[in-house]
Amino acid sequence: MGIASPRAGWWKEPIHKVELIWIIVAFLWGLGMFFMMIYWHGVGNQNLSNEAYRITPAAYAAKVDKMTEEYTVRQEGAFPVVRPPPGSDVYMMGRVYMWWPMLELVKGETYRLHLSSIDLQHGFSLQPVNINLQVHPGYESVVTMTPNQTGQFGIVCNEYCGFGHHTMTGRIYVVDNK
Ligand code: CUA
């Protein structure tokens, strides 16, 4: 009886100065990182503006299949390479474990790139330009883009999606109009 708990009143002990400084530093750092995202949206061209619509996986897969059937120009292994008309809506589908199909786009033309997943959450990371987007099943994201350099661009999945995650890749070709 009468023994005071050493923790009594812990909540009203004054905060140590060093700890307070660290809390303030961490808070300001977090705030700075938050505004970097906004800054980078304009300057870095990496956090792109997009539109998003609700869609079922089956409805999205149907759109991808329609484009693929109409505009496939060649086959690369298991992958069709699709060259839709310049300026059109183009579609890519994430699924375990691939980005489907491959696209061939024309430099200097503006496309609406649609992205969705038909199973799990995936990441769309366009290399080497380092454009990154989260891709969710049930949502169709649309990015308006104008490829400004020719070449072969790899896509890797940067959201862990299962045992084949590291093999989940895709490809976009950008060619000169001819
Ligand atoms: Cu798809 Cu990781």
Coordinates of all heavy atoms in Angstrom, one line a residue, residues 95-99 121-123 157-162 164-166 168, ligand 1:
R95 N -2.0 -8.9 -65.7 CA -2.5 -10.1 -65.1 C -1.3 -11.0 -64.7 O -0.2 -10.7 -65.1 CB -3.4 -10.9 -66.1 CG -2.7 -11.4 -67.3 CD -3.7 -12.0 -68.3 NE -3.1 -13.0 -69.1 CZ -3.5 -13.2 -70.4 NH1 -4.5 -12.6 -70.9 NH2 -2.9 -14.1 -71.1
V96 N -1.6 -12.0 -63.8 CA -0.5 -12.8 -63.4 C 0.0 -13.6 -64.6 O -0.8 -14.4 -65.1 CB -0.8 -13.7 -62.2 CG1 -1.0 -12.9 -60.9 CG2 -2.1 -14.5 -62.5
Y97 N 1.2 -13.5 -65.1 CA 2.3 -12.6 -64.8 C 2.8 -12.0 -66.0 O 3.8 -12.4 -66.5 CB 3.4 -13.3 -64.0 CG 3.0 -13.8 -62.7 CD1 2.7 -15.2 -62.5 CD2 2.8 -12.9 -61.6 CE1 2.3 -15.6 -61.2 CE2 2.4 -13.4 -60.3 CZ 2.1 -14.7 -60.2 OH 1.7 -15.2 -58.9
M98 N 2.0 -11.1 -66.6 CA 2.4 -10.4 -67.8 C 1.7 -9.1 -68.0 O 0.6 -8.9 -67.4 CB 2.2 -11.3 -69.0 CG 0.7 -11.7 -69.2 SD 0.5 -12.8 -70.6 CE 1.1 -14.4 -69.9
W99 N 2.2 -8.2 -68.8 CA 1.5 -7.1 -69.4 C 1.1 -7.4 -70.8 O 2.0 -7.7 -71.6 CB 2.4 -5.8 -69.3 CG 2.4 -5.3 -67.9 CD1 3.5 -5.4 -67.1 CD2 1.4 -4.6 -67.2 NE1 3.2 -4.8 -65.9 CE2 1.9 -4.3 -65.9 CE3 0.1 -4.2 -67.6 CZ2 1.1 -3.6 -65.0 CZ3 -0.7 -3.5 -66.6 CH2 -0.1 -3.2 -65.4
Q121 N -3.7 -6.5 -57.8 CA -3.1 -5.2 -58.0 C -1.7 -5.3 -58.6 O -0.9 -6.1 -58.1 CB -3.0 -4.4 -56.6 CG -2.4 -3.0 -56.8 CD -2.5 -2.3 -55.5 OE1 -3.1 -2.7 -54.5 NE2 -1.7 -1.2 -55.4
H122 N -1.4 -4.6 -59.6 CA -0.1 -4.6 -60.2 C 0.5 -3.2 -60.3 O -0.2 -2.2 -60.2 CB -0.1 -5.2 -61.6 CG -0.6 -6.7 -61.7 ND1 0.2 -7.7 -61.2 CD2 -1.8 -7.2 -62.1 CE1 -0.5 -8.9 -61.4 NE2 -1.7 -8.6 -61.9
G123 N 1.8 -3.1 -60.6 CA 2.4 -1.9 -60.9 C 2.9 -1.8 -62.3 O 3.4 -2.7 -62.8
C157 N 6.6 -5.0 -63.5 CA 5.6 -4.9 -62.5 C 6.3 -4.5 -61.2 O 7.3 -5.1 -60.8 CB 4.8 -6.2 -62.2 SG 3.6 -6.1 -60.9
N158 N 5.9 -3.4 -60.6 CA 6.6 -2.9 -59.4 C 5.7 -3.0 -58.1 O 6.0 -2.3 -57.2 CB 7.2 -1.5 -59.6 CG 6.2 -0.5 -59.8 OD1 5.0 -0.8 -59.9 ND2 6.6 0.7 -60.0
E159 N 4.7 -3.8 -58.2 CA 3.9 -4.1 -57.0 C 3.9 -5.6 -56.8 O 3.5 -6.3 -57.7 CB 2.5 -3.5 -57.3 CG 1.5 -3.6 -56.2 CD 1.9 -2.6 -55.1 OE1 2.3 -1.4 -55.4 OE2 1.9 -3.0 -53.9
Y160 N 4.3 -6.0 -55.6 CA 4.4 -7.4 -55.4 C 3.0 -8.1 -55.6 O 2.1 -7.7 -55.0 CB 5.0 -7.8 -54.0 CG 5.1 -9.2 -53.9 CD1 6.2 -9.9 -54.5 CD2 4.2 -10.0 -53.1 CE1 6.3 -11.3 -54.4 CE2 4.4 -11.4 -53.0 CZ 5.4 -12.0 -53.7 OH 5.5 -13.4 -53.6
C161 N 3.0 -9.1 -56.5 CA 1.7 -9.7 -56.9 C 1.7 -11.3 -56.8 O 0.8 -11.9 -57.3 CB 1.3 -9.2 -58.2 SG 2.5 -9.5 -59.5
G162 N 2.8 -11.8 -56.2 CA 2.8 -13.3 -56.1 C 4.2 -13.9 -56.5 O 5.1 -13.1 -56.8
G164 N 5.3 -15.1 -59.1 CA 5.8 -14.8 -60.5 C 6.1 -13.3 -60.7 O 6.3 -12.9 -61.8
H165 N 5.9 -12.6 -59.6 CA 6.0 -11.1 -59.7 C 7.2 -10.6 -60.5 O 7.1 -9.8 -61.4 CB 6.0 -10.5 -58.3 CG 6.5 -9.1 -58.2 ND1 5.8 -8.0 -58.7 CD2 7.7 -8.6 -57.7 CE1 6.5 -6.9 -58.5 NE2 7.6 -7.3 -57.9
H166 N 8.4 -11.2 -60.2 CA 9.6 -10.8 -60.8 C 9.7 -11.1 -62.3 O 10.6 -10.6 -63.0 CB 10.8 -11.3 -60.1 CG 10.9 -12.8 -60.1 ND1 10.0 -13.7 -59.5 CD2 11.7 -13.7 -60.8 CE1 10.3 -14.9 -59.7 NE2 11.3 -15.0 -60.6
M168 N 7.1 -10.6 -64.3 CA 5.9 -9.9 -64.9 C 6.4 -8.7 -65.7 O 6.7 -7.7 -65.1 CB 4.9 -9.5 -63.9 CG 3.7 -8.8 -64.5 SD 2.4 -8.7 -63.3 CE 1.3 -7.6 -64.3
Ligands
CUA1 CU1 2.3 -7.9 -61.1 CU2 4.0 -7.8 -59.5

